[in-house]
Amino acid sequence: MMNVNRWFPLLGGTLLLIMLSGCNFMMDPKLLMKTPELSSDKETLRSVINAELKGAEIRPRDAADISSIRVVDLNKDGVMEAVVFYETPLEKVKVHGMILENQNDTWVPKVRFDGEGQVLESFELKEVTGNGEINIVAGFSSGDNQTQKGLIVYSYTGTSVERVLELPYNYFVIDDLNDDGKLDITVVSLKKDQYTTITTYQYDQSFQELDKLQLDNAVSGYYNVVHGNITADKRGIILDAISGELSGYSIIVVMQDGELVDLIPDQSSTLKDYQIMSGDVNDDGILEIGMLETPKGWEYIAFDDIPWFFSYYQWDPNKGLTFVMQQYMDLAGRFYFNLPKEWWGKVTIDIKSIKDEHIKFIDIDTNATLAEIRFFTLAEWDLVQEDWALFARDNDKVIGFLSHTDLKVNKGEKEIKR
């Protein structure tokens, strides 16, 4: 996963320069929200949990919030509960959960419950049964990424924990796809190299299937699944599918009139030679699909040598995929550079540029250099840092930015920690 380590503020607001580490920086903002914890007695809570656990406390492997202890009023009775999962490797059931209540400022264990498999994949607290109470939604697996996982929705009654839904899944999404003001659960199940089944469920006294969609694309897997606003008023899911070692394509699924719909049945229209992750890249609250674009003049250069532009598109109900922004991305994940709007279609990269050494952005018509990104040794950087803005650090290299127009970034007086 790629996490933003530092934002470089702009003067003038036309340019965004960001230093990154990892591999996924695009996430639904709702997924970044953490369940509140009680900070005042956190240590007391942890000490009670440690004394009560019969095994080792565990964190979810695949979740935006990897905290092991979540605190919330599960059954909305005014009493806070803490939820924690733990493992007992030597027992037949290896993953368990425990709920504690805060009674008169003392944390009291209330109930233990069983999980499944050997690994806690995900752990969310969401109101999915529509009765005002918060449910525990957890995903489990055997630890093998190639096998199907198991999703369980738990309901806490105050004295016991009940399973209200159990489903196999490869990916799942909690959202409101049918736009009725209630959360639904959409499960993506993959039959490798054959087809994918997408099913949406919603609770009405019990979980009911709203609709099912089968995608007959023979994919080996999905390298990214995100959900959120597809348009300003329509929620949906984007699945970024693997179609080769590095290549992929994107699928948009929404619910229209109660039915799941694939908005882009022609997968060739989103085919890309590099697995670009979809997400809200321009931070406008709407998801984008990324596509590779060859800079003008590089059409006949070897694939690995091309300094690609990444172009991003949003879904327009009337026009289909519509271009919204463009960036240059360092494929090693050290930084990316959002091109100013006035550059779109008018700027390319100098054919003499070499990735990991020196990148020049030039005007297509005049050939004038507009900006440069260059890799320096530490000794070289000491000689040029008065003129160049600090972009990012990469082990023994310093990556600098130089604008030949009015684009500016901070000079990087503070050291960037990786």
Side-chain angles (χ1 to χ4, degrees):
M1 302 288 289
M2 196 179 273
N3 299 314
V4 176
N5 281 351
R6 182 177 177 88
W7 290 79
F8 291 86
L10 294 178
L11 301 179
T14 58
L15 174 66
L16 177 62
L17 295 172
I18 300 177
M19 177 200 165
L20 306 165
S21 66
C23 66
N24 178 16
F25 58 92
M26 297 171 293
M27 299 190 69
D28 185 331
K30 290 186 177 181
L31 296 181
L32 299 176
M33 297 173 63
K34 291 189 175 182
T35 304
E37 295 191 1
L38 299 183
S39 56
S40 61
D41 60 351
K42 185 176 179 180
E43 292 305 318
T44 301
L45 171 58
R46 185 169 293 280
S47 65
V48 172
I49 288 174
N50 289 339
E52 291 292 332
L53 289 187
K54 297 179 180 179
E57 178 184 316
I58 55 176
R59 302 174 185 273
R61 182 166 73 171
D62 182 19
D65 181 1
I66 62 170
S67 57
S68 57
I69 304 171
R70 316 284 175 85
V71 178
V72 71
D73 184 0
L74 285 173
N75 54 351
K76 298 297 180 70
D77 62 353
V79 177
M80 300 299 287
E81 283 87 24
V83 184
V84 62
F85 280 89
Y86 63 97
E87 62 181 351
T88 54
L90 299 181
E91 295 183 5
K92 183 176 180 180
V93 178
K94 301 184 184 306
V95 180
H96 311 266
M98 181 172 66
I99 297 175
L100 304 91
E101 280 188 2
N102 190 327
Q103 300 177 358
N104 300 320
D105 296 328
T106 300
W107 287 100
V108 178
K110 290 292 292 184
V111 64
R112 299 174 189 266
F113 57 96
D114 290 341
E116 295 289 342
Q118 301 182 51
V119 174
L120 177 65
E121 290 286 342
S122 60
F123 169 22
E124 299 185 52
L125 300 177
K126 298 282 189 179
E127 183 186 333
V128 293
T129 52
N131 57 5
E133 298 177 357
I134 306 298
N135 302 100
I136 302 168
V137 184
F140 304 94
S141 77
S142 65
D144 184 348
N145 289 328
Q146 301 303 314
T147 60
Q148 208 165 45
K149 305 166 189 174
L151 173 68
I152 301 179
V153 177
Y154 300 94
S155 178
Y156 177 56
T157 67
T159 56
S160 63
V161 172
E162 300 176 355
R163 298 187 181 194
V164 293
L165 181 67
E166 298 182 60
L167 291 171
Y169 79 99
N170 291 99
Y171 311 89
F172 74 90
V173 164
I174 301 174
D175 209 308
D176 181 13
L177 295 190
N178 64 349
D179 195 30
D180 67 347
K182 301 176 184 178
L183 291 178
D184 42 54
I185 298 177
T186 300
V187 172
V188 180
S189 296
L190 173 69
K191 189 73 171 177
K192 188 176 179 181
D193 297 325
Q194 295 186 47
Y195 58 87
T196 297
T197 303
I198 302 173
T199 312
T200 300
Y201 300 87
Q202 192 170 57
Y203 191 84
D204 182 9
Q205 298 186 347
S206 64
F207 275 96
Q208 307 293 325
E209 179 182 307
L210 295 183
D211 195 37
K212 179 181 293 184
L213 173 67
Q214 181 169 307
L215 304 175
D216 293 324
N217 307 327
V219 301
S220 59
Y222 298 94
Y223 62 89
N224 181 45
V225 176
V226 292
H227 64 104
N229 277 86
I230 300 301
T231 67
D233 56 3
K234 172 64 71 175
R235 305 285 292 181
I237 304 170
I238 300 181
L239 301 97
D240 293 325
I242 299 169
S243 63
E245 184 178 355
L246 295 175
S247 59
Y249 62 92
S250 298
I251 300 164
I252 302 178
V253 174
V254 299
M255 184 168 282
Q256 296 178 346
D257 299 322
E259 296 183 351
L260 292 170
V261 177
D262 178 4
L263 293 180
I264 315 175
D266 179 12
Q267 65 189 58
S268 64
S269 63
T270 62
L271 189 64
K272 57 208 98 185
D273 291 324
Y274 184 78
Q275 291 170 1
I276 306 171
M277 303 184 78
S278 299
D280 183 9
V281 185
N282 61 356
D283 199 29
D284 67 348
I286 299 175
L287 300 177
E288 290 88 33
I289 287 176
M291 302 290 290
L292 277 185
E293 183 175 325
T294 306
K296 185 176 177 59
W298 292 82
E299 291 82 1
Y300 303 105
I301 305 300
F303 180 88
D304 291 340
D305 295 330
I306 297 175
W308 299 97
F309 284 149
F310 284 36
S311 295
Y312 290 91
Y313 296 80
Q314 290 178 355
W315 179 258
D316 184 299
N318 300 314
K319 302 176 183 178
L321 291 175
T322 304
F323 175 82
V324 293
M325 70 166 291
Q326 192 173 64
Q327 68 182 198
Y328 172 77
M329 183 185 294
D330 172 62
L331 296 184
R334 293 162 292 195
F335 63 87
Y336 61 80
F337 168 27
N338 287 351
L339 276 63
K341 188 174 183 178
E342 59 268 25
W343 285 20
W344 297 347
K346 301 176 182 179
V347 170
T348 187
I349 294 176
D350 192 325
I351 196 66
K352 301 184 189 69
S353 297
I354 301 175
K355 290 189 298 185
D356 295 335
E357 291 186 20
H358 195 180
I359 302 291
K360 282 187 177 183
F361 299 89
I362 63 173
D363 186 288
I364 290 176
D365 294 328
T366 67
N367 215 38
T369 300
L370 303 178
E372 302 177 57
I373 296 173
R374 187 170 176 180
F375 290 69
F376 297 94
T377 64
L378 297 179
E380 290 172 335
W381 180 250
D382 288 338
L383 299 176
V384 302
Q385 58 181 313
E386 291 302 316
D387 299 317
W388 289 71
L390 176 64
F391 205 170
R393 294 185 184 273
D394 179 39
N395 299 324
D396 60 343
K397 294 281 187 181
V398 177
I399 305 172
F401 176 83
L402 178 63
S403 173
H404 295 272
T405 60
D406 59 349
L407 299 177
K408 299 181 187 294
V409 295
N410 68 321
K411 289 290 186 180
E413 290 82 359
K414 295 181 180 180
E415 180 180 359
I416 298 171
K417 297 181 180 179
R418 296 188 61 81

